[in-house]
């Protein structure tokens, strides 16, 4: 099915009007701003020798920022699962599964573990300024990305038009997470960097990925609210049941 710019604009306006999304962002955004401020201070301290607690870094394991990320991706997966339960739209299930994986990967460092396990058998050309474990991480993300893309294409074809547009929006936001979490992260591993430049790259990676996760969270909350209100407004239909015209 063909998705047009008008379809995307209409869906975004509908999602932007969802009150549940407004309430969720009123809770998340102020705390997120505090975390960004702590991350700026931590990177500045690292570059100048005035070291601050590691929990201030956005990407540090079990840091304040990462706990918020776990919460947002976990909640986003739950909202997508509830949409799938209500509508049985495959595109919602595909995104729910990927968001579960993203949460687990962020928590348990699955791609880092895979990269380290694969590193001993990966030959790295001398001209390529990349460590073997980082190449292993790219392979891991590549496999996951191909599987998700194949699932999304199949789900897109079997979903109705509105659901397909929603799936495209969420998929684009998830791709933004990959841009910062994979490709910008790769830049920090290519060649040698000064402490100051390394902190700049790390900051761009962390805040970009953080912003993309907030976007995914906001979209899933808005879509869940839109679908919930739409199901409740269908005349002569019990809420949560798909009809032939739904």
């Amino acid at each position: 099915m063909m998705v047009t710019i008008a379809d995307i604009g209409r869906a975004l306006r509908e999602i932007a009007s969802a009150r549940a999304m407004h309430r969720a962002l009123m809770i998340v955004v102020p705390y997120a701003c505090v975390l960004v401020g702590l991350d700026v201070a931590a990177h500045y301290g690292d570059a100048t020798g005035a070291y601050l607690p590691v929990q201030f870094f956005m990407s540090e394991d079990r840091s304040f920022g990462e706990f918020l990320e776990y919460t947002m991706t976990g909640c986003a997966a739950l909202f997508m699962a509830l949409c799938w339960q209500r509508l049985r739209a495959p595109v919602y299930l595909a995104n729910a599964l990927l968001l579960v994986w993203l949460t687990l990967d962020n928590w348990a460092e699955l791609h880092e573990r895979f990269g380290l396990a694969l590193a001993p058998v990966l030959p790295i050309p001398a001209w390529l300024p990349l460590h073997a474990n980082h190449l292993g991480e790219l392979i891991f993300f590549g496999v996951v990305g191909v599987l998700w893309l194949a699932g999304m294409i199949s789900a897109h074809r079997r979903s109705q038009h509105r659901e397909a547009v929603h799936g495209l929006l969420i998929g684009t936001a998830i791709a933004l997470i990959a841009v910062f979490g994979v490709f910008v992260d790769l830049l920090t591993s290519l060649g040698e960097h000064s402490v100051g430049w390394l902190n700049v790259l790390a900051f761009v990676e962390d805040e970009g990925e953080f912003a993309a996760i907030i976007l995914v969270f906001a979209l899933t909350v808005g879509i869940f609210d839109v679908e919930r209100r739409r199901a409740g407004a269908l005349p002569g239909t019990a809420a949560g049941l798909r009809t032939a015209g739904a």
Side-chain angles (χ1 to χ4, degrees), residues 72-73 76 99 170 173-174 177 211-221:
M72 288 191 294
T73 55
L99 287 163
I170 298 171
I174 290 176
I177 296 177
I213 290 175
I214 293 175
L215 177 60
V216 170
F217 173 71
L219 284 173
T220 56
V221 173

Side-chain angles (χ1 to χ4, degrees), residues 73 76-77 80 95-104 174 216 220:
T73 55
M80 286 293 93
N95 280 311
L97 293 175
L98 180 65
L99 287 163
V100 168
W101 176 82
L102 284 174
T103 305
L104 293 176
I174 290 176
V216 170
T220 56

Side-chain angles (χ1 to χ4, degrees), residues 14-15 18 166 221-231:
E14 190 176 29
I15 293 169
H166 289 167
V221 173
I223 289 170
F224 172 76
D225 193 38
V226 167
E227 296 287 25
R228 179 184 59 82
R229 288 187 287 109
R230 184 179 182 277

Side-chain angles (χ1 to χ4, degrees), residues 34-155:
V34 172
L35 295 178
V36 170
L38 292 177
D39 193 45
V40 171
H43 281 291
Y44 180 77
D46 186 65
T48 59
Y51 302 110
L52 294 173
V54 293
Q55 289 81 9
F56 286 12
F57 286 100
M58 191 70 70
S59 61
E60 188 68 27
D61 296 334
R62 310 299 186 267
S63 67
F64 302 140
E66 283 223 338
F67 274 114
L68 181 57
E69 290 180 354
Y70 308 150
T71 302
M72 288 191 294
T73 55
C75 288
L78 176 61
F79 289 130
M80 286 293 93
L82 290 173
C83 285
W84 173 75
Q85 181 187 42
R86 182 185 297 275
L87 301 169
R88 288 297 188 267
V91 71
Y92 291 145
L93 178 61
N95 280 311
L97 293 175
L98 180 65
L99 287 163
V100 168
W101 176 82
L102 284 174
T103 305
L104 293 176
D105 178 67
N106 202 13
W107 175 271
E109 302 177 345
L110 299 180
H111 67 278
E112 287 95 338
R113 295 174 185 269
F114 181 87
L116 291 172
L118 196 61
V121 299
L122 287 177
I124 301 295
W127 54 267
L128 184 63
L130 185 68
H131 296 297
N133 63 301
H134 295 138
L135 180 59
E137 292 177 16
L138 284 177
I139 293 173
F140 181 84
F141 279 118
V143 171
V144 172
V146 168
L147 291 175
W148 172 68
L149 187 59
M152 282 295 292
I153 292 173
S154 175

Side-chain angles (χ1 to χ4, degrees), residues 184-205:
V184 178
D185 178 59
L186 181 63
L187 293 178
T188 65
S189 308
L190 292 175
E192 298 295 329
H193 302 292
S194 65
V195 175
W197 182 239
L198 189 62
N199 274 282
V200 169
L201 289 175
F203 179 78
V204 171
E205 174 202 345

